[in-house]
């Protein structure tokens, strides 16, 4: 229905714009007087509608601003609808990826938490970067579960994923609290997306730069990648893994 109204208003605007350009454009004088002369000839010949072409042109010119306003209003409404669909779809899928990560962490047995550390390091790495990619600009990033960047000559734990070394082996509860905080942060960032923010850049010190929608997709892929690795570790350790989450249960609204 909105699309049909937009087409109708756009067509009406184009008609009005044609008259507007003809009257006020480069050939405005010739066109206006041509219509005027034609109208005078018809009027002199006894045609009471002799002035109608000029009246129609003037009427459409007078209405052009209102028609343009209607077109702009409909355009803005369409943009808002598209942004709302994007926000809802992005959140429902990103939220589902975070929920799958949460389910994997919850399922890992407590008795293996401090002994089989490969699971912890993988989960911690994923959570730190989930938070990092949600920080705009990333130069302001500071994790609530602190870490140390290992140097080239530092000893790195065998199970560590990269050079981001946690200051300690944090508990499962601490990781889940961190996850919930980042989940809320993710939802807030997606909710903040506007037409103006679509082109806002997430710029990492160095050479990486992403528009906000792209860094959100990038982040979601990274979360899903590590959730899958955690599910593999669960299968290998306890022969069990969480079910697939098709979408987040909570909506943006």
């Amino acid at each position: 229905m909105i699309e049909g109204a937009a087409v109708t208003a756009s067509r009406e605007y184009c008609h009005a714009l044609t008259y507007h350009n003809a009257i006020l454009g480069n050939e405005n004088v010739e066109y206006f007087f041509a219509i005027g002369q034609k109208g005078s000839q018809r009027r002199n010949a006894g045609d009471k509608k002799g002035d109608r072409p000029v009246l129609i042109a003037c009427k459409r010119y007078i209405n052009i601003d209102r028609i343009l306003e209607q077109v702009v209003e409909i355009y803005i409404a369409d943009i808002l609808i598209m942004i709302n669909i994007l926000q809802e779809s992005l959140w429902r899928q990103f939220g589902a990826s975070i929920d799958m990560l949460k389910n994997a962490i919850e399922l890992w047995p407590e008795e293996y938490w401090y002994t089989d550390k490969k699971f912890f390091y993988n989960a911690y790495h994923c959570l730190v970067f989930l938070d990092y990619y949600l920080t705009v600009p990333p130069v302001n990033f500071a994790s609530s579960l602190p870490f140390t960047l290992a140097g080239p000559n530092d000893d790195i734990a065998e199970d560590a994923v990269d050079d981001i070394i946690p200051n300690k082996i944090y508990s499962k509860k601490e990781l889940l609290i961190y996850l919930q905080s980042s989940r809320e942060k993710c939802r807030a960032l997606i909710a903040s997306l506007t037409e103006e923010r679509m082109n806002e850049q997430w710029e990492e010190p160095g050479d990486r730069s992403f528009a906000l929608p792209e860094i959100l997709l990038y982040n979601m892929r990274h979360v899903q990648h590590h959730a899958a690795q955690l599910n593999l570790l669960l299968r290998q350790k306890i022969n069990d893994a969480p079910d697939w989450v098709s979408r987040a249960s909570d909506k943006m609204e």
Side-chain angles (χ1 to χ4, degrees):
M1 179 177 251
I2 292 178
E3 180 181 355
V7 171
T8 301
S10 298
R11 185 180 297 114
E12 185 67 17
Y13 170 65
C14 289
H15 286 319
L17 191 59
T18 300
Y19 283 97
H20 173 269
N21 290 338
I23 293 174
L24 301 179
N26 293 333
E27 300 177 355
N28 57 341
V29 176
E30 293 182 8
Y31 181 84
F32 187 81
F33 280 110
I35 292 180
Q37 288 172 355
K38 186 176 181 180
S40 296
Q41 291 171 1
R42 293 174 61 181
R43 185 174 61 252
N44 293 337
D47 186 350
K48 295 181 180 179
K49 298 180 180 179
D51 290 328
R52 190 174 182 185
V54 177
L55 293 175
I56 293 176
C58 291
K59 182 179 180 181
R60 288 188 181 273
Y61 171 62
I62 291 170
N63 291 338
I64 189 171
D65 288 341
R66 179 52 192 153
I67 294 170
L68 179 57
E69 289 177 5
Q70 291 175 341
V71 171
V72 171
E73 289 171 1
I74 294 170
Y75 170 78
I76 292 174
D78 286 347
I79 290 294
L80 291 176
I81 290 172
M82 288 187 289
I83 290 176
N84 289 339
I85 292 173
L86 173 63
Q87 289 175 323
E88 186 67 30
S89 301
L90 187 54
W91 165 245
R92 296 296 288 270
Q93 292 305 308
F94 203 152
S97 293
I98 297 174
D99 290 344
M100 290 189 69
L101 177 65
K102 175 185 176 182
N103 293 343
I105 295 173
E106 287 180 334
L107 190 58
W108 187 255
E110 286 284 356
E111 60 264 31
Y112 299 133
W113 192 261
Y114 296 98
T115 56
D116 194 339
K117 299 176 184 177
K118 188 173 184 179
F119 187 96
F120 163 78
Y121 279 115
N122 201 312
Y124 178 78
H125 164 89
C126 184
L127 287 173
V128 166
F129 277 96
L130 169 61
D131 186 13
Y132 174 65
Y133 293 137
L134 291 172
T135 303
V136 185
V139 69
N140 296 331
F141 174 69
S143 175
S144 60
L145 299 182
F147 59 84
T148 301
L149 284 175
N153 298 322
D154 293 338
D155 292 331
I156 298 178
E158 180 180 356
D159 293 328
V161 175
D162 52 19
D163 58 353
I164 296 179
I165 308 302
N167 291 354
K168 67 173 188 175
I169 303 299
Y170 299 104
S171 67
K172 179 192 289 192
K173 181 179 179 180
E174 287 175 308
L175 259 61
L176 291 174
I177 292 173
Y178 190 24
L179 181 147
Q180 184 60 33
S181 174
S182 293
R183 191 180 191 274
E184 294 169 1
K185 184 176 180 179
C186 177
R187 183 172 178 170
L189 179 58
I190 293 174
S192 75
L193 290 179
T194 60
E195 185 178 2
E196 292 75 18
R197 295 204 75 190
M198 287 295 178
N199 286 323
E200 184 177 334
Q201 296 295 301
W202 182 94
E203 294 182 328
E204 190 176 43
D207 59 353
R208 289 207 302 177
S209 179
F210 300 89
L212 289 188
E214 185 177 5
I215 193 62
L216 285 165
L217 292 172
Y218 182 97
N219 198 356
M220 180 172 63
R221 291 176 53 236
H222 185 254
V223 170
Q224 196 65 56
H225 167 73
H226 284 285
Q229 290 183 332
L230 296 179
N231 284 345
L232 174 62
L233 293 175
L234 283 164
R235 287 289 183 189
Q236 292 173 338
K237 196 71 174 180
I238 63 173
N239 194 29
D240 195 9
D243 293 333
W244 171 260
V245 178
S246 61
R247 63 197 319 200
S249 58
D250 50 330
K251 297 183 179 181
M252 286 294 299
E253 300 177 353

